[in-house]
Amino acid sequence: MTILLAGSVILPIFFGAPWHPLRPSTLRRILEFAEIQPGETIVDLGSGDGRVLIAAAKDFGARGEGVEIDPIKVWFSRWLAKRAGVQDRVHIVRGNLFDFDFSQADVLFLYLTHQALDRLTKDRVDRLKPSARIVSFRFCLRGLQPDKIDPKKTLFLYRMNRGRNFDGLA
Ligand SMILES: C[S@@+](CC[C@H](N)C(=O)[O-])C[C@H]1O[C@@H](n2cnc3c(N)ncnc32)[C@H](O)[C@@H]1O
């Protein structure tokens, strides 16, 4: 059991980011900051225990798509989604976030390290649809000017409709 739990917390550090659960007040702040609208699809890359997606579905009427590398968190998040009654609107798969197709996202939520964000920005993020927005918690996307920053300077919102050019970043 100890080995399983240690693996669940420590191993993801080497893949993209360690797990750090969000407090309920922070979760609420993130979803309000992201301007989530009913029916929108929010994608969480490295979805942890699914709390962002579950709250977005339950409290904001959104659809949630998540990818998580740790099978224990995937199992647990699906169980939590079912318990919250949103299993029909929250879909979480086990996999590597760098291989996940998030092109249908209205909101791409990221709580990852700078290293993971750099790789993602350079390789993939410009495939988002023009109406999409990216919300990054704690870490900004290096080299890009955010459209909105929260007063605590822990949330960064980027709108794709500005004709952003990601070439040559990081
Ligand atoms: C800081 S936590 C954020 C969890 C969740 N997004 C939240 O805000 O509650 C980062 C998560 O990314 C997962 N992760 C790390 N590298 C990953 C990878 N390459 N592919 C998928 N998930 C990954 C970790 O297991 C961890 O659950």
Side-chain angles (χ1 to χ4, degrees):
M1 189 61 171
T2 311
I3 292 172
L4 273 180
L5 282 177
S8 187
V9 173
I10 295 165
L11 277 182
I13 294 171
F14 301 103
F15 288 96
W19 188 42
H20 186 262
L22 296 167
R23 287 200 303 240
S25 57
T26 308
L27 189 52
R28 183 91 205 164
R29 198 160 57 82
I30 290 171
L31 293 172
E32 283 172 359
F33 179 82
E35 304 166 14
I36 308 276
Q37 303 300 315
E40 284 193 323
T41 296
I42 172 168
V43 174
D44 185 358
L45 297 182
S47 47
D49 64 2
R51 63 184 66 196
V52 174
L53 301 175
I54 292 168
K58 205 172 160 203
D59 302 337
F60 291 76
R63 304 187 68 81
E65 297 281 337
V67 57
E68 170 57 52
I69 204 150
D70 171 13
I72 298 173
K73 288 198 218 78
V74 172
W75 173 83
F76 189 51
S77 57
R78 287 176 182 161
W79 182 81
L80 288 175
K82 197 169 178 188
R83 198 182 66 160
V86 292
Q87 71 274 22
D88 55 332
R89 282 183 288 129
V90 172
H91 184 230
I92 293 165
V93 297
R94 203 229 148 220
N96 191 334
L97 66 91
F98 296 107
D99 301 326
F100 189 74
D101 177 9
F102 51 79
S103 55
Q104 288 313 305
D106 295 301
V107 176
L108 182 66
F109 175 68
L110 305 168
Y111 181 14
L112 300 168
T113 61
H114 265 314
Q115 288 74 18
L117 292 175
D118 287 348
R119 189 172 157 197
L120 203 61
T121 311
K122 195 175 166 197
D123 294 349
R124 311 274 312 282
V125 150
D126 55 355
R127 295 181 200 170
L128 280 165
K129 51 190 182 186
S131 57
R133 51 206 188 274
I134 302 170
V135 172
S136 186
F137 179 60
R138 284 211 185 280
F139 301 96
C140 62
L141 303 184
R142 290 196 276 213
L144 279 189
Q145 187 63 34
D147 291 295
K148 192 166 88 161
I149 303 177
D150 80 317
K152 291 188 174 180
K153 295 189 169 44
T154 53
L155 278 163
F156 307 89
L157 185 143
Y158 305 83
R159 296 187 196 281
M160 300 302 291
N161 60 6
R162 296 266 172 100
R164 289 191 183 281
N165 181 1
F166 291 95
D167 292 346
L169 277 177

